[in-house]
Amino acid sequence: MAGELVGGAFLSGFINVVFDRLLTTDAVNLVLGKKLGPDLVQRLKTALLGAEALVADAEMKQFGKPLVRKWLDSLRDAVYCAEDLLDTVLTKATTQKEVKSSWSISFLVNREREMVDKMEEVVRRIEDLGKQKDFLGLEKIPTGSSSWRTPSTSLVRGNVYGREDDKKALVQMLNDNSEHHLSVIAIVGIGGVGKTTLAQSLYNNNEEEFMKEFDLKAWVCVSEKFEVVETTRDVIKQIHGGTCSLDNFNSLHNALKEELSNKKFFIVLDDVWSDDGDKWSNFMTPFQQNGNKGSIVLLTTRAENVASAVQNCQPYFLKKLSEDYCWLVFAENASFPQSNGRAALEEIGRKIVKKCDGLPLAAETLGRLLRTKHDVEEWNKILMSDIWEFSVEKSKIIPALLISYFHLSPYLKRCFVYCALFPKDYEFEKDKLILMWIAEDLYQHQREERV
């Protein structure tokens, strides 16, 4: 199963690579238009764009839906054929010498006609696959969108383990900036490491004196789609208790400015992905110079470049949990040892926790999977099984990994998935791996923008 799912994941990057390599420059379009005809090239572009819009949804729905997985396999095969044919056309165009004999001219014309027929067939295949979207329940969604996710709230779920030192460090950062009108701090860490939980813990920490001094507090889950207008409106809604009738951006900006004026505020923007400096500059305008000293905007993000895009943002890098603390997370969610304190289960459970590699999300999810299972055999199945075999409904690990994959550049997706061809626990040599990527034409130093 792992190989099939990885094959599907490979596709979203591969379609982009076909565009990047073969459908970008005027010279290439001139050659393809001459050999294949401009109408056929345009149909290929349109068909690929239509298929690409469905792939993000299909990659998520393939879990537990064999027909969707077969659709991805068929689309991948068709795209491969299209790339092979385009490569052939371009190669012949660059190597073909002047032909003098009428026999050779006739032969080449027949070969070109054959390639056109094959491309016509491939384009029809891709177009027909696009027409199956209603039957399969596929929707056109932006790449990287993640409908599986429930937006975060400011409430802490369950106990927080192993983050006392992190909380103290963040509190110290906040106190150190108490004389500034505005401080922007980003909790940066990999997916599942506990950034949101730490932010929630800090947001609800009423024991600290400095937290009692804030006049306004707001929690907004931003997620992948960062829209300045909508996020500004969400902040106002949080301040007003869920209402905001303003639509005009200028009105929203001024309303937020008035709300923050002469107040000390603590605003959390959770799960931020955008590193668009212009968007951040527009969004942050009402926050600057309007609040009282000690005002805070706290971000959580997986990417350090997001923190860099926000002016004067200080990053705090969140490390993985220790194995002992991960065990506490796992045990709490598995109701262990209350449900069954057998030593054999604890031994297996600790091996499972070791595989979680310091990620509390993994420990929480696997613990919950085992909550109702009390047999050694069931626990061993989880210990020995492939993570890709867990259903999306029962495990948040797969989507948590996929969302990071979605946000890779198209050519990096291909490089990443290439690694799945090697055995489990295979040790890569960095320089050798890069050379293999280059040899497979998966990595290119300079890439042109798609036109």
Side-chain angles (χ1 to χ4, degrees), residues 8-20 23 44-59 71-72 75-76 79 126-127 129-130 133 138-145 406 408-411 413 450-451:
F10 187 90
L11 186 56
S12 62
F14 188 77
I15 291 177
N16 281 297
V17 172
V18 171
F19 276 103
D20 290 342
L23 300 176
L44 175 60
K45 286 184 178 182
T46 302
L48 287 174
L49 285 171
E52 183 186 29
L54 300 172
V55 166
D57 193 34
E59 284 178 340
W71 182 89
L72 280 169
L75 179 59
R76 185 179 64 251
V79 175
I126 298 174
E127 290 172 338
L129 287 167
K133 65 183 181 66
L138 299 179
E139 299 175 2
K140 295 183 178 182
I141 61 174
T143 301
S145 149
F406 282 144
L408 291 174
S409 300
Y411 76 97
K413 289 181 181 181
R450 184 189 305 181
V451 295

Side-chain angles (χ1 to χ4, degrees), residues 148-392:
W148 62 273
R149 310 182 75 198
T150 302
S152 69
T153 73
S154 61
L155 300 180
V156 182
R157 185 180 63 185
N159 295 315
V160 180
Y161 297 103
R163 292 305 186 193
E164 286 304 317
D165 289 342
D166 294 299
K167 282 192 284 186
K168 289 178 181 177
L170 279 168
V171 168
Q172 186 62 51
M173 288 179 70
L174 299 179
N175 284 326
D176 289 345
N177 290 277
S178 60
E179 293 302 310
H180 299 160
H181 277 282
L182 175 66
S183 297
V184 185
I185 295 173
I187 303 175
V188 183
I190 62 175
V193 78
K195 302 180 295 297
T196 297
T197 300
L198 178 58
Q200 290 168 333
S201 179
L202 191 65
Y203 187 87
N204 291 285
N205 189 348
N206 295 319
E207 297 176 3
E208 292 287 345
E209 283 299 320
F210 86 95
M211 290 301 295
K212 298 177 183 178
E213 298 173 358
F214 290 107
D215 302 306
L216 292 176
K217 291 171 65 178
W219 179 287
V220 174
C221 182
V222 178
S223 200
E224 296 97 311
K225 191 176 181 180
F226 175 51
E227 296 294 344
V228 176
V229 175
E230 191 60 36
T231 307
T232 302
R233 183 181 290 110
D234 287 341
V235 174
I236 296 174
K237 284 181 179 179
Q238 286 292 304
I239 294 173
H240 276 293
T243 59
C244 179
S245 59
L246 300 174
D247 292 321
N248 182 271
F249 184 43
N250 180 62
S251 300
L252 287 167
H253 247 197
N254 282 288
L256 182 55
K257 178 183 176 181
E258 289 299 319
E259 292 291 345
L260 301 177
S261 182
N262 299 318
K263 293 185 178 69
K264 184 177 179 179
F265 55 82
F266 185 81
I267 309 294
V268 176
L269 304 174
D270 185 45
D271 193 25
V272 176
W273 287 87
S274 175
D275 61 356
D276 189 322
D278 289 336
K279 282 188 175 182
W280 279 111
S281 179
N282 285 328
F283 175 75
M284 294 299 296
T285 300
F287 297 89
Q288 296 165 345
Q289 302 300 321
N290 288 309
N292 285 344
K293 287 183 179 180
S295 293
I296 301 293
V297 173
L298 179 69
L299 317 177
T300 70
T301 181
R302 301 186 188 191
E304 185 178 355
N305 62 315
V306 171
S308 301
V310 185
Q311 189 175 9
N312 299 323
C313 182
Q314 305 171 65
Y316 179 80
F317 297 98
L318 189 60
K319 297 179 181 178
K320 297 177 180 180
L321 279 184
S322 69
E323 196 170 310
D324 288 339
Y325 283 124
C326 261
W327 166 254
L328 294 177
V329 175
F330 174 86
E332 179 181 284
N333 284 277
S335 292
F336 183 89
Q338 293 91 336
S339 60
N340 193 327
R342 291 165 55 188
L345 290 185
E346 179 171 349
E347 181 181 356
I348 300 168
R350 289 192 178 275
K351 290 179 181 178
I352 291 172
V353 167
K354 190 175 184 68
K355 287 191 171 187
C356 292
D357 194 28
L359 298 181
L361 174 64
E364 175 189 337
T365 303
L366 296 178
R368 195 171 294 121
L369 280 172
L370 292 167
R371 191 180 187 91
T372 58
K373 303 181 188 299
H374 309 301
D375 296 330
V376 170
E377 183 180 352
E378 295 286 350
W379 284 50
N380 267 322
K381 283 181 181 178
I382 298 297
L383 175 63
M384 304 305 294
S385 68
D386 189 328
I387 190 173
W388 291 97
E389 294 177 3
F390 299 157
S391 69
V392 173

Side-chain angles (χ1 to χ4, degrees), residues 85-148:
L85 288 169
L86 291 170
D87 269 335
T88 301
V89 172
L90 293 174
T91 301
K92 287 185 177 297
T94 55
T95 60
Q96 183 176 305
K97 295 180 180 179
E98 185 178 352
V99 181
K100 295 183 179 179
S101 69
S102 58
W103 179 87
S104 297
I105 293 174
S106 175
F107 174 76
L108 290 172
V109 169
N110 290 334
R111 288 295 303 274
E112 288 181 8
R113 182 67 256 170
E114 183 180 338
M115 281 192 291
V116 171
D117 291 342
K118 287 182 178 179
M119 182 60 77
E120 179 79 33
E121 180 183 349
V122 169
V123 171
R124 277 200 303 269
R125 284 174 58 192
I126 298 174
E127 290 172 338
D128 289 342
L129 287 167
K131 295 174 183 177
Q132 295 177 19
K133 65 183 181 66
D134 294 332
F135 169 72
L136 296 171
L138 299 179
E139 299 175 2
K140 295 183 178 182
I141 61 174
T143 301
S145 149
S146 52
S147 57
W148 62 273

